[in-house]
Amino acid sequence: MALSTGSKNPNEIKLAFVYFGVTTVIILLASAVLGSFLLSIPLPFLSYLQDNKYTSEQFGFSFSYPVNYSAHNDTMFRDTVLVSPITSGEDDDLLVRSVWITIDEETETALDWLESENSNHKIDYGYEKRVIGGQEAFMLYGSDGKVINWVYFDSPDRKWRISIANLPSKSEVPEIKRIFEKVVESFRF
């Protein structure tokens, strides 16, 4: 049984195929142009699709962060990595919207240090245990009883105490909370 095209004229069949081909090419070109235009728009969810990786040879750790952020050694504080938004021009709120990774020489475990008089961050309000980079970590609670974006843990060789934090007043800001969690979840020794 032969395929019926509704027309017996071979020229009409050829013309239909040409229209179909031209239409397909136009749709593909429009998709390509529209797709590259959409990718040039800085959409918040695009930062989930791609990550950069920071590696510290000195301290033996790495972590991921979004492409619309940068990670660099802080010039004001020794042994501190700052993960901050990439901006153009002056940004007075830049440090407030950043995540800090601070490394201190270990003299006692993170928990012992938090419970000691030497700590600037008391655990009076409690803490939550987590595992970060294979190490036991302590995520602090604020005075309101909620977890804040401030966590302490030891390096595997117990040579370093690491804290990952942002300003507690900004812990509930969705973008900052997301960046903090990305750094914490991807942190590896």
Side-chain angles (χ1 to χ4, degrees):
M1 175 171 187
L3 180 65
S4 173
T5 61
S7 173
K8 305 277 188 213
N9 186 341
N11 288 335
E12 288 180 11
I13 295 172
K14 287 179 186 175
L15 190 58
F17 278 113
V18 169
Y19 284 134
F20 175 75
V22 169
T23 303
T24 302
V25 169
I26 290 171
I27 289 171
L28 290 174
L29 287 173
S31 297
V33 170
L34 183 59
S36 56
F37 171 75
L38 289 176
L39 288 177
S40 69
I41 298 172
L43 300 172
F45 68 86
L46 287 181
S47 63
Y48 286 112
L49 300 177
Q50 298 175 319
D51 288 329
N52 286 330
K53 185 175 183 178
Y54 177 89
T55 301
S56 170
E57 299 295 329
Q58 179 183 2
F59 298 109
F61 65 78
S62 66
F63 61 85
S64 298
Y65 60 95
V67 295
N68 57 336
Y69 274 63
S70 69
H72 55 276
N73 293 326
D74 187 60
T75 56
M76 291 176 45
F77 300 101
R78 188 175 148 254
D79 297 334
T80 299
V81 178
L82 190 63
V83 179
S84 54
I86 296 172
T87 63
S88 57
E90 292 294 317
D91 187 351
D92 294 336
D93 204 27
L94 182 65
L95 296 180
V96 172
R97 294 185 295 125
S98 299
V99 175
W100 304 69
I101 297 92
T102 307
I103 302 97
D104 294 305
E105 195 164 349
E106 184 72 81
T107 55
E108 52 200 335
T109 68
L111 183 57
D112 289 342
W113 180 78
L114 283 168
E115 292 174 336
S116 77
E117 303 243 344
N118 298 327
S119 170
N120 296 331
H121 302 97
K122 302 291 183 212
I123 56 173
D124 298 339
Y125 304 117
Y127 60 88
E128 178 180 297
K129 284 186 181 181
R130 288 182 78 168
V131 175
I132 299 175
Q135 303 300 303
E136 183 176 55
F138 305 93
M139 192 128 178
L140 302 181
Y141 287 125
S143 59
D144 60 359
K146 293 181 179 178
V147 171
I148 59 174
N149 292 345
W150 208 307
V151 63
Y152 288 92
F153 55 100
D154 301 313
S155 63
D157 59 5
R158 299 222 13 215
K159 188 175 178 182
W160 310 105
R161 179 180 52 252
I162 293 130
S163 73
I164 303 175
N166 64 275
L167 294 179
S169 64
K170 299 297 181 184
S171 290
E172 294 301 315
V173 175
E175 178 188 9
I176 295 171
K177 190 176 192 90
R178 181 175 53 80
I179 304 309
F180 175 84
E181 282 300 323
K182 180 177 285 296
V183 170
V184 166
E185 292 296 325
S186 65
F187 198 97
R188 302 286 181 266
F189 287 100

